[in-house]
Amino acid sequence: MAAVLSRNCATAAPEVTVVPQDFETWERAPDHHRPFDLLLSAQAWHWTDPEVRWSKAKQVLRAGGTLALFWNDWYVSDDDLRHELIAAHEHRLPELPPHSILEKVPRGSVMGPDSWVPRELLADGGFTDLTYLQYPTAHHRSTSGLVDVLSSLSFYRLLPEATREAVLADVAGAVDAYGGSVRLDTRTGLFLARTASGRYPEGNHPSD
């Protein structure tokens, strides 16, 4: 992903610097002293270390800077196709994925004001103006497009290769039988917060 971003920015936005490094251990370059206005995480904040993520966010953001975290939930809108996809998984696996397109309301979703995201944000005490927004959209995926989505999810990536290929082949067969296309109703949940204003007096941010 970093390589793709670097290629896309090479001519369109040459001022963008791409640094492929873990967020928790990243340090700004010695010649970059300004804190950031925005920290954005797309479908990834749950992978960061809970012991470090909030303090690191406050470290890199200016006072009043914005933290924006978002995730997507996908749903197969056609119930008949969804049941076929469930059957394709049950044929190969002892249990279904814990958070997947196979459920009307995915287990483990971070969506909603009572999930671990706002709880941790509020418990930290260093953020304010917590806002939660939802954006519903619909996407049509081809058979290969749906397989690409599933292949990017950790549940499938952690399966033994032979099992993963067999499950995805069964999924592809089920979608092909329904015309080679699937509608995914998508719910995007966005959490916004700001570092507490006045947390650092003007000119006294740790990075200055």
Side-chain angles (χ1 to χ4, degrees):
M1 292 174 68
V4 171
L5 181 60
S6 295
R7 290 197 302 271
N8 290 342
C9 290
T11 55
E15 71 280 8
V16 172
T17 301
V18 180
V19 182
Q21 185 177 340
D22 290 343
F23 170 72
E24 295 90 337
T25 58
W26 175 83
E27 298 293 339
R28 55 168 52 88
D31 60 344
H32 186 100
H33 302 297
R34 291 181 56 198
F36 292 97
D37 296 317
L38 171 67
L39 173 58
L40 170 68
S41 175
Q43 197 83 16
W45 195 249
H46 54 285
W47 291 116
T48 57
D49 184 349
E51 298 296 323
V52 177
R53 55 189 171 212
W54 306 112
S55 59
K56 188 71 173 185
K58 290 180 292 187
Q59 177 189 344
V60 302
L61 285 169
R62 67 170 175 81
T66 300
L67 176 65
L69 313 173
F70 76 82
W71 286 265
N72 296 303
D73 281 340
W74 297 284
Y75 312 86
V76 175
S77 60
D78 187 299
D79 286 337
D80 290 337
L81 176 56
R82 184 165 53 85
H83 291 311
E84 290 295 328
L85 294 175
I86 290 173
H89 283 72
E90 290 178 337
H91 177 63
R92 303 284 184 180
L93 303 173
E95 59 183 2
L96 296 177
H99 179 197
S100 75
I101 66 171
L102 305 176
E103 301 173 306
K104 283 292 189 182
V105 181
R107 291 167 290 155
S109 174
V110 304
M111 304 300 182
D114 298 322
S115 76
W116 63 267
V117 180
R119 287 202 307 269
E120 289 190 11
L121 267 170
L122 293 173
D124 179 86
F127 299 89
T128 187
D129 298 334
L130 176 59
T131 303
Y132 175 62
L133 303 169
Q134 281 194 20
Y135 302 92
T137 54
H139 305 267
H140 291 272
R141 296 271 183 170
S142 65
T143 298
S144 60
L146 180 63
V147 169
D148 286 344
V149 169
L150 299 184
S151 298
S152 71
L153 302 179
S154 58
F155 175 86
Y156 297 90
R157 294 176 67 85
L158 293 173
L159 291 173
E161 182 177 359
T163 303
R164 180 174 61 252
E165 290 181 353
V167 171
L168 294 178
D170 289 348
V171 166
V175 177
D176 281 341
Y178 273 76
S181 178
V182 56
R183 171 178 163 144
L184 295 179
D185 290 330
T186 305
R187 178 178 62 168
T188 300
L190 171 64
F191 296 91
L192 294 170
R194 295 187 182 277
T195 51
S197 60
R199 176 176 173 77
Y200 304 113
E202 187 68 28
N204 289 317
H205 191 281
S207 62
D208 289 339

